[in-house]
Amino acid sequence: MTRVLSITILLAASCWPLSPHAQPAPPAWAADAVWYQIFPERFANGDPSNDPTRETLESPEAVGADWAVTPWTADWYRRAPWEEARGPDFYDDGVFDRRLGGDLQGILDRVPYLDSLGVTAVYLNPVFWAASLHKYDATSYHHIDPHFGPDPEGDKALIATETADPATWVWTSADRLFLDLIQAFHARGIRVVVDGVFNHTGTRFWAFEDVRRNQQASPYAGWYEVTAWDDPATEADEFDWTGWWGYKPLAVLANTADGTDLHPEVKAHVFDATRRWMDPNGDGDPSDGIDGYRLDVAEQVPLGFWRDYYRFVKDINPDAYLVGEIWWEAWPDGMMDPRPWLDGVFDGVMNYRWYKATRGFLGDAPPRLSPSGYVAHLDSLEAGIDMAFRRGMMNLTSSHDAPRFWTSVYNNANKYKYQVNPRDSDVYKLDKPDALARARQKLILAQQFTYYGAPQIWNGDEYGMWGADDPDNRKPIIWPDLTFDDETALPFGGTRPADTVAPDIDLWRHYQQLIALRNAHLDLFAYGDLDYILTDDERDILAYTRTLDGALALVLLNASDASHTVTLPWTDTRALSEPLMDTSLTPTDGELTLDLAPHQARILIAE
């Protein structure tokens, strides 16, 4: 990409009006949403003609000439010859150089599927140009990855004609296909949020390449945390920079000298790229653009930047949603005051804290919680958070950065996030989880879809996929129209009993039914009051109601291994329907009696 524009002109092109600070509040649709997280490279390969090539890898020289796209349906731990030639370790010698060819056409083809599942918002992991499979190492913030679109080489040639001036930025075929994808989702009432990574870029990012080439003479010399410049008088290359957590391929972007904001020129470029995707045709109507951003490693970017970014985004689209990635477990006792992040910064956070606590009660996992302990823990997590923001949280059970939901529950003796893979734990189970883990998974789902906050589904969890933390949580989706090899291999060699890899249609229907139940009573589950009416620590039973304007739902959760009969004082005389079981109950003599099987949830609605 040609870079001839001066910084003065770049900044002039990036001026933005900022409205006065207003009382922040999430958009109303954030509470209504059922989220589905899409990992584009592993979602669906709709156009094999655009598949990545060896030359597009992060380190092409590290793999042999026999490198090829990995078959979608292959045994996950079975290694190709080019992987085995690199070395014996599954994790260090090849898996991160695999590509499966997922692309925008694959997502576009499956829009009707997501609509049939009932989701109303999608969050896409990075779609912008980058060399890695995960795309957190941006080559560009303002172009979709060419290999996600129909004409990779043509797109790269177009991009090479640009300067840093947004007025010269072109719309590639991949960019335009992404706009078509937005419209396809919007036509079905599904919102679109994409990943924004403003703490670091890849080392192929156009500004970093200019800095590497021109050193202190580069107009972008201040954009990165450069720790040493090359000395032209020596043969060695002394050029060095700060990598994210020491990882050099992710070059950290510079802050202002006082650390309160991003470098002003970096900030201007981020704002320009954001405007491009939020209002693509620049007509002041954002309906043709994305509906917000999920913001990566948010706590490592200055709050001063986020406050201005929040106002900038809301000026473009007041109904946009900004959700921050905040890793609460990284802080003492897994606790961190969320309120600063919800005061003109973000509309919500990825609510890992909700799942950690819920897994501790319903999944019998550390920290193990009784019903009353669980309620107290939830209350402590939500203390001081305005109800509007509690409703707008993204409540997730899994993601690209955590083990698969089913596997997480199966490994109930292990932590939620750390040491949850075969590399760091020699007892972590990676085979197909059992029926008990499935029952606990369904129990957690019942709580997720009836609690405060918007439920989220991770890329294929609805089909009963399993896998440890990254990279094993990034297996390709096991679509019903494909036939997969059994899993028999192990990551460090050897074999295991064969695990059949196929979608669990019963689980898929369970997800669909829960989504339909929530959507059918959306006001009740999104906005209704929540009151705990039973915390039975001896029998591990929790019951609560959701109420709003006369509407009522009763939720009972049995986390124990035993069957129990529960009798509740009940003055409401209306019949209670049970949509998930196609049954109904009528209270008698001021009481309501229900039977609960082991690890069963029952959800009843007053008629």
Side-chain angles (χ1 to χ4, degrees):
M1 184 183 289
T2 305
R3 299 292 165 192
V4 298
L5 195 66
S6 73
I7 287 296
T8 301
I9 299 175
L10 174 62
L11 289 175
S14 302
C15 293
W16 60 88
L18 291 179
S19 63
H21 181 72
Q23 180 66 35
W29 65 266
D32 299 346
V34 174
W35 289 96
Y36 191 98
Q37 181 182 347
I38 294 173
F39 195 87
E41 220 278 323
R42 304 292 162 83
F43 184 76
N45 187 348
D47 181 3
S49 72
N50 65 15
D51 283 354
T53 63
R54 178 174 176 269
E55 291 70 29
T56 64
L57 301 178
E58 295 163 276
S59 302
E61 70 283 354
V63 301
D66 62 339
W67 180 93
V69 170
T70 299
W72 197 273
T73 59
D75 179 347
W76 177 250
Y77 292 115
R78 183 74 60 196
R79 306 180 73 211
W82 65 265
E83 294 179 84
E84 293 176 337
R86 285 191 59 178
D89 192 295
F90 174 83
Y91 295 105
D92 291 339
D93 300 319
V95 69
F96 294 103
D97 285 318
R98 287 182 179 179
R99 298 294 183 272
L100 280 84
D103 50 32
L104 293 184
Q105 188 60 54
I107 303 173
L108 190 60
D109 291 344
R110 305 282 180 167
V111 170
Y113 161 77
L114 293 169
D115 188 32
S116 71
L117 184 59
V119 302
T120 59
V122 293
Y123 145 46
L124 281 71
N125 285 99
V127 291
F128 304 117
W129 191 9
S132 70
L133 67 96
H134 51 73
K135 308 298 178 189
Y136 284 96
D137 54 332
T139 296
S140 170
Y141 287 148
H142 64 279
H143 285 299
I144 303 299
D145 193 286
H147 284 273
F148 283 166
D151 184 14
E153 297 312 311
D155 286 358
K156 293 172 190 176
L158 272 176
I159 294 169
T161 68
E162 296 178 338
T163 73
D165 182 357
T168 70
W169 294 353
V170 299
W171 289 97
T172 66
S173 66
D175 296 340
R176 294 186 182 281
L177 186 59
F178 181 63
L179 299 185
D180 291 343
L181 178 63
I182 293 171
Q183 294 311 302
F185 276 124
H186 283 178
R188 292 175 180 265
I190 299 173
R191 308 273 183 164
V192 181
V193 167
V194 300
D195 225 316
V197 190
F198 306 142
N199 166 259
H200 53 262
T201 72
T203 53
R204 297 187 186 185
F205 195 83
W206 57 269
F208 187 88
E209 287 190 329
D210 193 280
V211 173
R212 188 198 293 274
R213 184 169 54 251
N214 296 309
Q215 298 288 298
Q216 297 98 317
S218 170
Y220 316 107
W223 282 36
Y224 292 90
E225 293 185 1
V226 175
T227 57
W229 298 103
D230 182 42
D231 182 354
T234 69
E235 291 187 8
D237 183 1
E238 294 88 358
F239 178 57
D240 201 4
W241 61 94
T242 301
W244 183 68
W245 285 69
Y247 184 63
K248 296 295 184 179
L250 300 180
V252 174
L253 291 162
N255 295 333
T256 54
D258 63 6
T260 62
D261 205 342
L262 276 182
H263 186 287
E265 294 155 15
V266 174
K267 182 176 182 176
H269 180 67
V270 168
F271 279 36
D272 284 336
T274 297
R275 182 189 295 109
R276 172 180 172 90
W277 298 113
M278 293 196 65
D279 184 9
N281 63 8
D283 67 350
D285 177 1
S287 62
D288 56 337
I290 60 173
D291 299 286
Y293 277 88
R294 178 268 188 186
L295 298 158
D296 190 56
V297 291
E299 80 277 3
Q300 296 180 36
V301 178
L303 275 172
F305 170 80
W306 289 132
R307 293 192 188 282
D308 284 350
Y309 189 74
Y310 177 92
R311 294 166 59 201
F312 175 74
V313 165
K314 298 294 183 174
D315 280 345
I316 298 172
N317 182 1
D319 212 28
Y321 180 71
L322 297 179
V323 57
E325 180 203 31
I326 305 294
W327 272 107
W328 310 103
E329 273 197 33
W331 299 83
D333 301 320
M335 296 294 289
M336 179 178 171
D337 186 355
R339 287 171 293 180
W341 303 98
L342 302 173
D343 179 20
V345 179
F346 304 130
D347 296 304
V349 298
M350 299 182 74
N351 201 8
Y352 301 100
R353 302 191 308 163
W354 162 81
Y355 176 60
K356 182 180 177 182
T358 303
R359 178 177 176 261
F361 168 44
L362 301 176
D364 194 31
R368 289 178 171 83
L369 297 169
S370 66
S372 61
Y374 175 55
V375 170
H377 194 60
L378 287 180
D379 287 344
S380 71
L381 295 180
E382 295 164 352
I385 301 177
D386 185 88
M387 182 56 73
F389 288 98
R390 290 164 66 180
R391 293 169 180 149
M393 294 289 188
M394 181 190 285
N395 289 350
L396 68 167
T397 54
S398 183
S399 77
H400 64 291
D401 276 334
R404 285 272 176 190
F405 184 12
W406 196 15
T407 293
S408 175
V409 176
Y410 184 44
N411 285 272
N412 64 324
N414 290 75
K415 296 180 180 179
Y416 162 52
K417 170 59 183 173
Y418 297 109
Q419 298 179 328
V420 285
N421 59 71
R423 289 169 289 172
D424 299 328
S425 171
D426 57 7
V427 298
Y428 199 80
K429 296 179 288 188
L430 48 76
D431 59 322
K432 188 174 186 176
D434 58 20
L436 175 59
R438 173 70 84 230
R440 287 172 168 162
Q441 181 182 20
K442 288 184 175 181
L443 188 61
I444 292 170
L445 283 171
Q447 205 278 350
Q448 182 187 25
F449 278 84
T450 60
Y451 188 63
Y452 295 124
Q456 175 261 20
I457 303 164
W458 157 239
N459 205 64
D461 267 357
E462 74 277 17
Y463 279 132
M465 294 182 66
W466 67 88
D469 201 1
D470 176 24
D472 298 337
N473 54 5
R474 302 177 185 184
K475 298 176 185 178
I477 291 185
I478 51 175
W479 295 110
D481 56 343
L482 301 176
T483 301
F484 284 74
D485 295 343
D486 290 348
E487 283 193 10
T488 60
L490 290 166
F492 302 118
T495 60
R496 69 179 201 257
D499 283 324
T500 301
V501 179
D504 185 331
I505 302 303
D506 174 72
L507 179 66
W508 185 90
R509 289 196 183 100
H510 189 70
Y511 269 93
Q512 188 186 46
Q513 289 171 341
L514 280 170
I515 295 170
L517 176 66
R518 186 177 191 274
N519 288 340
H521 305 278
L522 187 55
D523 286 348
L524 179 61
F525 287 119
Y527 303 102
D529 293 334
L530 189 153
D531 294 293
Y532 297 102
I533 61 172
L534 176 64
T535 52
D536 186 335
D537 288 350
E538 183 177 343
R539 298 191 296 174
D540 264 349
I541 297 171
L542 175 67
Y544 56 86
T545 58
R546 302 298 308 272
T547 55
L548 180 71
D549 297 333
L552 179 146
L554 170 64
V555 181
L556 297 101
L557 307 169
N558 178 14
S560 78
D561 297 327
S563 297
H564 296 291
T565 298
V566 177
T567 299
L568 300 170
W570 199 261
T571 58
D572 193 317
T573 59
R574 290 175 292 176
L576 292 164
S577 66
E578 197 163 6
L580 297 185
M581 297 178 65
D582 196 25
T583 60
S584 63
L585 292 173
T586 301
T588 58
D589 300 325
E591 291 184 339
L592 186 65
T593 300
L594 305 98
D595 294 323
L596 290 170
H599 312 291
Q600 184 187 23
R602 296 187 67 173
I603 305 170
L604 300 99
I605 309 292
E607 307 221 283

